[in-house]
Amino acid sequence: MKVSESAATDSSSSSDLQRQETTTSKEATHGAADMTRRMVCGGLAGMIAKTATNPLDRIRMLSQTGEHGIGTTSNKRITPLQLYKSIIQNEGILGLWAGNGANLLRVFPAKSIVFSSNDFYRGVAHTLYFGTDAGVSQNDVNKTTQTQQQMQQLPWLLSFLSGGMAGMTASAATYPLDLARGRITGKLAAGGKKHYKGIVNTVLITAREEGVRALYKGITPTLLGAMPYEGIKFGTVGILERAFPKPTATEKDQGGLLSNNIIRKLVFGGAGGISAGLLTYPNDTIRRLLQLQGSKGTTEHFDGYFDCLRKTYAKYGIERFYRGALINIVRMAPNTAIQFGSYELLKQMSEGYF
């Protein structure tokens, strides 16, 4: 009788262990699938936003680098309209989307890493700060009161750090693609002749003529700028989400909540993009100037970040660091708004497929 009871106990323990292992395996599989889903959604959201705003970005880049081929004195400002006309004259209407292919190859991995790693870092911060994971289901969200949702929002500093770390992670992983995109879009074709013919061509020419290390020119200001840029962007969104928490909804009007949340993300994302773009623009100008040095048609040379800062300021003054800032603000609002709105929409559309 005792042998039988012992065998039954062992069998029960074995079944419990198997169930625990099965549950753990399913949770791990679901976690990996969910991370993949977020990465794909983030990458697609970035591609949509960049394609929609590439003409504004091209004008901004030419204004920032000064490689537009328009004869002028250093004291005379070049307007966005002049740059637009010059692009059309030298490269045609498709010139407004020059570098967009390189941009998309860069943006998909960059934005997939930014959004998914930001969700990951926010989850870690949420666990450390509140003692619970931020990854709750939509049904749980709908059952949560507005006050509870507001209390569960991360403080601004943690939102800033999560976004900043996500930005640095993405920048480090995709930098050679960013450099190639900068060289393609930061130069205007002279007489219809382009200096670079696509992202692969740009990477190969740069590595062959300047060495592999040249693919990382300007990475210091890029990493320095990624932390505050993405940090301010996601931090601003975090502040606005805390100040204006999304309303609760019953099952019957869940569709209304979906639309409302996408609109919130559009508005909050646009505000975050403008804030980040304004505060980090001078650093971005230095980054672009460092990326272009040594490229075809560029004669200026800098011995690092601070040498570029010193020489540019001595030659042009503080105004040089803000060239193209206005068009950048006009570009950043729709670009970031579309990113956040598309990411939220794609996440919710793909919720039941993983």
Side-chain angles (χ1 to χ4, degrees):
M1 187 70 177
K2 290 182 178 180
V3 174
S4 177
E5 289 177 353
S6 177
T9 302
D10 292 342
S11 177
S12 177
S13 299
S14 178
S15 298
D16 290 341
L17 183 60
Q18 288 178 350
R19 280 196 295 269
Q20 289 177 359
E21 290 177 348
T22 301
T23 302
T24 302
S25 178
K26 287 182 178 179
E27 288 177 351
T29 302
H30 176 73
D34 188 59
M35 176 61 77
T36 302
R37 177 177 70 91
R38 291 172 184 270
M39 292 184 73
V40 172
C41 290
L44 290 175
M47 292 175 73
I48 293 169
K50 285 295 184 182
T51 301
T53 59
N54 198 80
L56 294 173
D57 194 40
R58 182 80 203 282
I59 293 172
R60 189 265 305 183
M61 287 279 286
L62 288 173
S63 180
Q64 201 171 27
T65 62
E67 300 279 348
H68 41 62
I70 301 176
T72 181
T73 63
S74 58
N75 295 325
K76 187 177 180 180
R77 295 177 64 88
I78 302 298
T79 67
L81 182 59
Q82 286 177 292
L83 290 172
Y84 170 79
K85 290 179 178 178
S86 183
I87 293 171
I88 299 298
Q89 181 180 354
N90 286 276
E91 301 178 5
I93 190 68
L94 292 180
L96 294 170
W97 277 271
N100 191 52
N103 221 356
L104 296 184
L105 286 175
R106 177 190 69 88
V107 162
F108 186 86
K111 293 306 176 184
S112 66
I113 295 172
V114 163
F115 279 100
S116 59
S117 59
N118 177 67
D119 285 347
F120 171 77
Y121 291 133
R122 282 180 65 87
V124 172
H126 201 282
T127 301
L128 295 174
Y129 190 78
F130 293 109
T132 56
D133 193 359
V136 295
S137 67
Q138 187 64 38
N139 289 334
D140 292 333
V141 171
N142 291 338
K143 294 175 184 176
T144 307
T145 65
Q146 189 178 66
T147 303
Q148 287 173 322
Q149 286 183 34
Q150 190 169 6
M151 289 175 63
Q152 290 293 297
Q153 291 291 345
L154 286 174
W156 181 83
L157 180 59
L158 291 181
S159 294
F160 173 88
L161 291 174
S162 298
M165 291 174 65
M168 293 184 73
T169 302
S171 296
T174 62
Y175 187 75
L177 298 176
D178 183 50
L179 178 133
R181 173 249 181 173
R183 291 195 167 190
I184 293 171
T185 60
K187 285 178 172 291
L188 191 67
K193 184 179 180 181
K194 296 182 178 181
H195 295 283
Y196 299 100
K197 302 176 181 178
I199 190 166
V200 175
N201 174 261
T202 304
V203 170
L204 291 176
I205 288 177
T206 301
R208 184 174 66 247
E209 295 183 355
E210 304 171 51
V212 176
R213 291 184 62 183
L215 294 174
Y216 292 90
K217 284 182 177 179
I219 193 171
T220 299
T222 298
L223 294 178
L224 290 175
M227 169 61 84
Y229 178 79
E230 297 294 346
I232 292 169
K233 188 169 72 176
F234 282 100
T236 301
V237 172
I239 289 175
L240 293 173
E241 286 183 334
R242 193 178 181 88
F244 304 99
K246 60 184 178 183
T248 58
T250 59
E251 291 292 331
K252 64 181 181 181
D253 58 7
Q254 188 170 344
L257 174 61
L258 170 63
S259 300
N260 180 268
N261 198 40
I262 292 172
I263 292 173
R264 288 173 69 254
K265 289 293 185 180
L266 284 167
V267 175
F268 296 170
I274 291 175
S275 302
L278 272 175
L279 294 172
T280 63
Y281 194 77
N283 181 76
D284 191 60
T285 297
I286 296 174
R287 179 168 77 102
R288 295 304 178 192
L289 292 174
L290 287 172
Q291 285 182 341
L292 284 180
Q293 68 168 335
S295 63
K296 293 183 176 181
T298 300
T299 57
E300 288 187 297
H301 175 76
F302 307 105
D303 296 320
Y305 182 89
F306 291 104
D307 184 58
C308 179
L309 175 65
R310 179 180 59 82
K311 287 181 178 178
T312 303
Y313 177 76
K315 188 173 182 179
Y316 301 103
I318 193 69
E319 178 270 339
R320 179 65 181 87
F321 298 103
Y322 289 93
R323 286 185 188 175
L326 180 60
I327 195 69
N328 189 55
I329 294 172
V330 176
R331 178 189 72 92
M332 282 304 302
N335 179 63
T336 317
I338 293 170
Q339 278 184 38
F340 277 86
S342 299
Y343 181 60
E344 188 67 22
L345 176 61
L346 291 169
K347 268 202 313 181
Q348 295 187 27
M349 286 176 63
S350 61
E351 183 98 26
Y353 292 94
F354 288 82

